[in-house]
Amino acid sequence: MSYSTPKGVFDILPTEEKPENKWKESHRWDYLFEQLKELSKAYGFEEISTPIFEKSELFSRSIGKETDIVNKEMYTFEDKGGRSLSLRPEGTAPVMRAFIEKQMAQASYCHKLFYTGPMFRYERQQAGRYRQFYQFGAEIVGLPSPQLDVELIDFVYTLFQRLGLQNLTIHINSIGNKECRAAYRKALVEYLTPHKNSLSEDSQSRLEKNPLRILDSKSPADQKITANAPILTDYLEESSKQHFEEVKKWLRILKIPFVVSDKLVRGLDYYNRTVFEVVSGDLGAHNTIAAGGRYDYLLKDLNGPDLPAVGFAVGLERILQAMDTQKCSFPHKPVPLLLMIPLGEPATQVCFQLLKELRLHNIPSEVDYSEKKLKNIMRYADKKSIPYVMIVGEEELEEENLKLKHMSTGETEPVKLDQLILTMKNKLHDAKLS
Ligand code: HAM
């Protein structure tokens, strides 16, 4: 039997031969993580990590029993103690669970947390949709200020600018508070009921359980019907209306382009007021790269303190795929700076000790132990783009004089044995600057 990955998951590898799979290369992920972490620091976020499984009730209570995620997509299992556990389908609920459990509210009046890691949803396999996928998420707990909603949208906007991503649209909407959403829901059901038979099968079943989700149905028949549906923002109560106006004002102050999308409602139940999504024009059907919003009731609903919160998550596969499509640049794959090729046991001993010393100085280096023909080793070094190669034989050892070959020019530079570390340190420094 030959083994392969289960459906909907993928490996992240040092090298992917197929050009369309370059987004799976590990150095690209490293680069993205570095950018995300650097930006998190600049925006004042601290890292939090939670387990990849939690008690199942946490997700049904927060994301909502009638949502697709909880209804159809969770990896839920019973452990040997008979407890129902689920692989996390998202990060917000676990982070809020930790926040409440560890009484983090006591430390300050505003908390900025970020996390990265795999999430799990049993979704139909399609491009851009995976059963294990990676999110970076950021959450701010403690204040209702609209500026914080905008800080988060600005984080995403700045991230995408730094990565060189274009062709993105920021969609925003406000879904108000629980009361005005209930009034809107009633109006929407009244409007949709006479059209029930013309709605798609999915939307027909949502009509009673989760009618707001019909608004972002992809079915053309549904879209035709919802085109004239009542508009959510017309039902906002005064304070939500004002909050939404403020969000738009602060976005304009930062000159962040956005579109108000009155049918944007999001697929998780915990949101209120601001919701937003960033959509790429280059990804086909599953084109939302980032999404989030306010969730001022969630902490209280999870039996925590009554504190407002706002957050977002980005899908890392989708970012890397969009970067690929748009040919955004990535730093070069890290390679050793120096490859030493010893000829014989005494030379191997010297190179082996030099190797340890080079590495102590963080100079990426390797010794070739293959005993292959020199021609083959040089070809390998060339293919790997290793900049410096050093063949060490008896003569070099006797004279304590090494010969450093510059692979790009073919020139050889003499280096005293006791000067190698310093020489390579300088070369590393120059390589970083170039
Ligand atoms: P979400 O919209 O469910 O929100 O997911 C956020 C992002 O994760 C999506 O926009 C997409 O890029 C990515 N994503 C979701 N499902 C998949 C999948 N099956 N395959 C690949 N990528 C996927 C949340 O998860 C909320 N927790 C966001 C949030 C944080 N709201 C407030 N704070």
Side-chain angles (χ1 to χ4, degrees):
M1 177 178 182
S2 64
Y3 296 99
S4 54
T5 52
K7 241 184 175 181
V9 300
F10 56 88
D11 300 310
I12 298 171
L13 302 172
T15 311
E16 265 287 355
E17 300 305 333
K18 287 189 191 159
E20 69 272 23
N21 284 339
K22 288 275 176 209
W23 65 270
K24 293 182 192 166
E25 289 189 354
S26 47
H27 73 108
R28 296 189 171 210
W29 287 76
D30 278 348
Y31 170 64
L32 183 54
F33 284 134
E34 273 166 25
Q35 294 295 313
L36 284 163
K37 290 207 168 174
E38 198 177 286
L39 213 53
S40 299
K41 259 194 223 158
Y43 279 71
F45 288 88
E46 292 178 298
E47 187 160 9
I48 181 167
S49 291
T50 61
I52 60 166
F53 60 84
E54 298 272 352
K55 292 179 184 162
S56 301
E57 309 95 76
L58 174 68
F59 299 115
S60 45
R61 181 90 186 96
S62 53
I63 299 168
K65 281 200 177 69
E66 297 304 339
T67 57
D68 283 354
I69 297 178
V70 170
N71 246 336
K72 305 185 202 160
E73 296 169 1
M74 283 224 292
Y75 280 91
T76 298
F77 58 97
E78 214 172 76
D79 73 1
K80 291 200 167 85
R83 303 166 194 94
S84 176
L85 301 173
S86 296
L87 298 185
R88 61 181 182 197
E90 59 105 53
T92 309
V95 169
M96 292 309 120
R97 191 268 309 137
F99 185 89
I100 297 166
E101 189 182 350
K102 298 290 146 40
Q103 301 183 2
M104 290 171 71
Q106 290 176 2
S108 169
Y109 56 82
C110 184
H111 307 261
K112 292 177 146 187
L113 302 167
F114 81 88
Y115 51 90
T116 49
M119 308 291 159
F120 305 85
R121 297 184 193 174
Y122 189 82
E123 302 227 47
R124 215 171 327 131
Q125 199 184 6
Q126 281 169 31
R129 254 196 180 172
Y130 303 95
R131 292 183 176 173
Q132 173 176 314
F133 58 96
Y134 288 77
Q135 280 187 345
F136 166 92
E139 318 285 353
I140 305 178
V141 184
L143 296 174
S145 326
Q147 291 92 336
L148 291 177
D149 308 27
V150 174
E151 276 200 24
L152 289 174
I153 297 172
D154 177 50
F155 183 113
V156 178
Y157 183 65
T158 307
L159 171 71
F160 292 158
Q161 278 190 323
R162 280 200 187 177
L163 297 175
L165 270 176
Q166 288 169 348
N167 199 9
L168 298 170
T169 313
I170 300 171
H171 295 267
I172 62 165
N173 196 16
S174 175
I175 58 169
N177 63 16
K178 279 181 180 164
E179 291 75 36
C180 60
R181 214 157 48 251
Y184 175 71
R185 184 189 156 114
K186 192 163 166 269
L188 183 66
V189 172
E190 272 170 23
Y191 168 81
L192 289 173
T193 305
H195 301 281
K196 184 171 176 183
N197 294 337
S198 315
L199 287 170
S200 67
E201 215 174 293
D202 262 356
S203 293
Q204 289 190 19
S205 69
R206 281 183 176 143
L207 191 55
E208 271 148 45
K209 294 179 189 159
N210 203 352
L212 266 67
R213 291 289 289 159
I214 299 175
L215 293 176
D216 61 14
S217 161
K218 299 272 185 292
S219 138
D222 292 349
Q223 286 177 351
K224 212 168 145 197
I225 295 167
T226 54
N228 297 317
I231 289 170
L232 218 167
T233 39
D234 290 345
Y235 288 74
L236 296 185
E237 93 301 346
E238 205 39 50
S239 65
S240 289
K241 222 182 255 176
Q242 212 166 356
H243 188 272
F244 194 37
E245 288 310 312
E246 288 283 312
V247 168
K248 290 186 271 184
K249 177 181 108 183
W250 293 103
L251 279 170
R252 285 189 200 106
I253 286 175
L254 291 189
K255 298 192 171 49
I256 297 175
F258 63 90
V259 175
V260 175
S261 297
D262 55 28
K263 297 203 168 50
L264 176 62
V265 287
R266 308 274 301 121
L268 303 93
D269 279 357
Y270 49 62
Y271 292 110
N272 68 301
R273 292 196 168 167
T274 318
V275 288
F276 65 92
E277 288 188 352
V278 182
V279 169
S280 162
D282 290 301
L283 285 181
H286 302 291
N287 54 3
T288 308
I289 300 199
R294 265 206 171 269
Y295 50 97
D296 296 332
Y297 305 112
L298 180 60
L299 279 122
K300 196 154 175 252
D301 284 350
L302 295 175
N303 305 324
D306 188 3
L307 289 174
V310 58
F312 74 85
V314 291
L316 304 193
E317 296 76 12
R318 294 187 191 175
I319 293 183
L320 290 167
Q321 286 166 356
M323 287 178 74
D324 237 12
T325 313
Q326 293 180 18
K327 308 223 172 333
C328 297
S329 60
F330 286 90
H332 290 302
K333 229 165 128 164
V335 291
L337 188 68
L338 172 66
L339 177 70
M340 292 179 278
I341 310 171
L343 306 176
E345 165 76 19
T348 305
Q349 281 198 25
V350 171
C351 290
F352 200 60
Q353 289 169 61
L354 282 173
L355 184 67
K356 180 169 173 59
E357 220 178 312
L358 285 158
R359 288 173 174 171
L360 282 175
H361 287 86
N362 290 329
I363 300 163
S365 325
E366 294 292 340
V367 169
D368 191 287
Y369 308 111
S370 69
E371 298 181 8
K372 283 187 187 296
K373 285 190 185 137
L374 265 182
K375 195 176 71 185
N376 292 345
I377 302 175
M378 296 307 275
R379 205 178 293 145
Y380 158 84
D382 193 42
K383 195 170 165 219
K384 273 222 146 195
S385 307
I386 298 175
Y388 299 98
V389 169
M390 207 169 70
I391 301 168
V392 186
E394 269 174 36
E395 190 191 316
E396 284 80 8
L397 290 186
E398 257 166 40
E399 293 174 9
E400 298 196 356
N401 217 345
L402 305 166
K403 293 188 197 93
L404 195 63
K405 184 170 172 142
H406 295 223
M407 293 296 279
S408 59
T409 58
E411 281 166 16
T412 305
E413 179 184 347
V415 178
K416 286 269 169 228
L417 185 63
D418 60 3
Q419 292 296 303
L420 181 72
I421 304 294
L422 184 63
T423 306
M424 293 317 296
K425 251 184 170 174
N426 291 336
K427 304 250 181 252
L428 184 65
H429 181 73
D430 294 347
K432 279 186 181 157
L433 293 182
S434 72

